[in-house]
């Protein structure tokens, strides 16, 4: 009888975790749709996994139509498709990377003092300050095209937003005239920005150059040239991302290909440490 009681107690105190794997197919050709069947208006963004939920942030371009030609930049001008002044930051969430629900505009351009064009919003959480931090590429409407390209930063207390602007122009970066970017957070909480700079071909030759730079502890600025990798890899590149796997750091980016339908090649660079790169 005592043995039966002990066996019952042991049975009740054992917890068995069952992990169910589901195969998910993600197409880079078919438009991605939300749970209502609506094409997701989200571009140039990133995903964050937090508390079992995937948060997908990206620029909303609206219902514009790309101009004919080899790329979407054949008619580069303010108000053109992909260059409008109302690129809010869309937020979708999912538990499985397949079924997406539109939540809100996590950041709205109408909250900015000066109108402009938003590209490439990137979001990470600062576990020290408990803030969610968003960096994005910003072209002021009053500027002269890509010559005035810069980065802005916004923060929120929650991943849903709304994000509030902190600075319209980051001035601490090693290089100026900046383009595409991404953010990377290391295991110890240090964060880095991988970004292109000197993107205006009428001024710089070569142009669209890549580097990695450490962010400040609050993630609201960078630590400048002293903590910059220096330019590396090929020139005339864009769309970077950075991640870590099995102790190796990876930087991935490709040749410039502005909204081109056929895509572009990707080059992978590796390092055993973030500093020096």
């Amino acid at each position: 009888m005592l043995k039966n009681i002990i066996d019952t107690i042991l049975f009740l105190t054992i917890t068995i975790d069952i992990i169910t794997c589901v195969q998910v197919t993600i197409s880079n050709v078919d438009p991605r749709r939300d749970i209502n069947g609506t094409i997701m208006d989200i571009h140039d963004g990133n995903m964050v996994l937090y508390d079992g939920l995937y948060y997908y942030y990206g620029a909303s371009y609206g219902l514009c139509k790309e101009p004919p030609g080899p790329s979407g930049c054949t008619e580069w001008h303010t108000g053109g498709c992909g260059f409008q002044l109302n690129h809010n930051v869309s937020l979708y969430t999912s538990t499985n990377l397949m079924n997406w629900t539109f939540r809100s505009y996590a950041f709205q351009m109408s909250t900015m003092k000066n109108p402009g064009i938003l590209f490439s919003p990137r979001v990470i959480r600062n576990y020290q300050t408990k803030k969610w931090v968003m960096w994005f590429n910003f072209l002021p409407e009053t500027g002269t095209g890509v010559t005035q390209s810069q980065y802005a930063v916004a923060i929120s207390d929650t991943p849903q937003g709304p994000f509030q602007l902190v600075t319209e122009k980051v001035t601490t970066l090693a290089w100026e005239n900046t383009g595409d970017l991404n953010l990377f957070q290391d295991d110890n909480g240090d964060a880095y920005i991988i970004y292109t700079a000197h993107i205006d071909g009428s001024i710089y030759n070569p142009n669209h150059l890549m580097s990695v730079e450490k962010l400040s502890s609050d993630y609201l600025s960078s630590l400048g040239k002293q903590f910059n990798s220096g330019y590396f890899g090929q020139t005339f590149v864009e769309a970077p991302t950075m991640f870590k796997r099995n102790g190796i750091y990876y930087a991935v980016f490709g040749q410039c290909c502005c909204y081109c339908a056929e895509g572009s090649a990707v080059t992978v660079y590796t390092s055993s440490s973030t500093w020096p790169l």
Side-chain angles (χ1 to χ4, degrees):
M1 182 66 179
L2 180 60
K3 181 180 183 299
N4 291 339
I5 294 174
I6 293 175
D7 288 344
T8 302
I9 294 174
L10 288 174
F11 178 78
L12 292 175
T13 56
I14 293 175
T15 300
I16 301 175
D17 292 327
I18 301 176
I19 301 175
T20 303
C21 296
V22 178
Q23 182 175 344
V24 176
T25 300
I26 299 175
S27 173
N28 287 327
V29 178
D30 298 328
R32 191 163 292 124
R33 298 178 183 271
D34 64 17
I35 59 174
N36 296 317
T38 304
I39 293 177
M40 296 167 60
D41 185 11
I42 188 165
H43 311 268
D44 311 333
N46 76 312
M47 294 183 190
V48 179
L49 176 61
Y50 180 70
D51 280 350
L53 198 62
Y54 292 95
Y55 292 82
Y56 187 8
Y57 304 89
S60 64
Y61 286 170
L63 298 177
C64 63
K65 184 177 181 180
E66 283 192 18
S71 81
C73 287
T74 54
E75 294 182 8
W76 149 239
H77 60 84
T78 302
C81 187
F83 303 96
Q84 299 178 0
L85 302 177
N86 60 349
H87 292 178
N88 299 316
V89 178
S90 297
L91 171 61
Y92 292 80
T93 60
S94 173
T95 58
N96 57 13
L97 296 177
M98 184 169 54
N99 302 313
W100 292 98
T101 301
F102 176 75
R103 294 299 181 184
S104 65
Y105 291 121
F107 179 82
Q108 298 196 48
M109 288 299 290
S110 61
T111 64
M112 295 195 69
K113 181 179 179 180
N114 298 307
I117 307 171
L118 174 149
F119 300 106
S120 303
R122 312 298 188 192
V123 176
I124 58 174
R125 184 172 190 249
N126 189 317
Y127 287 88
Q128 180 179 350
T129 65
K130 310 300 182 185
K131 298 291 186 181
W132 290 81
V133 181
M134 176 189 294
W135 284 58
F136 58 88
N137 190 200
F138 178 63
L139 275 66
E141 181 186 23
T142 56
T144 54
V146 296
T147 302
Q148 301 298 319
S149 181
Q150 60 198 48
Y151 293 148
V153 180
I155 61 173
S156 172
D157 292 328
T158 69
Q160 295 87 0
F163 285 78
Q164 303 296 325
L165 188 70
V166 174
T167 179
E168 188 176 284
K169 182 177 182 180
V170 176
T171 59
T172 56
L173 291 160
W175 317 111
E176 57 186 7
N177 189 213
T178 50
D180 285 355
L181 75 142
N182 222 315
L183 302 177
F184 167 73
Q185 187 178 52
D186 208 346
D187 301 330
N188 63 359
D190 289 345
Y192 299 80
I193 179 172
I194 179 170
Y195 67 105
T196 55
H198 292 181
I199 66 172
D200 191 339
S202 67
I203 300 176
Y204 303 102
N205 185 24
N207 57 75
H208 285 80
L209 309 175
M210 192 67 65
S211 71
V212 175
E213 190 165 324
K214 190 174 183 179
L215 298 185
S216 58
S217 60
D218 58 11
Y219 300 177
L220 303 183
S221 61
S222 73
L223 297 182
K225 189 169 292 187
Q226 185 178 354
F227 290 88
N228 184 277
S229 65
Y231 294 132
F232 68 95
Q234 296 175 311
T235 63
F236 199 59
V237 290
E238 62 180 0
T241 191
M242 189 173 169
F243 63 92
K244 183 180 182 180
R245 183 174 186 271
N246 296 332
I248 301 297
Y249 297 88
Y250 293 80
V252 182
F253 45 89
Q255 291 292 299
C256 290
C257 187
C258 181
Y259 301 139
C260 57
E262 70 274 13
S264 65
V266 173
T267 305
V268 180
Y269 299 85
T270 62
S271 176
S272 60
S273 65
T274 54
W275 195 259
L277 289 159

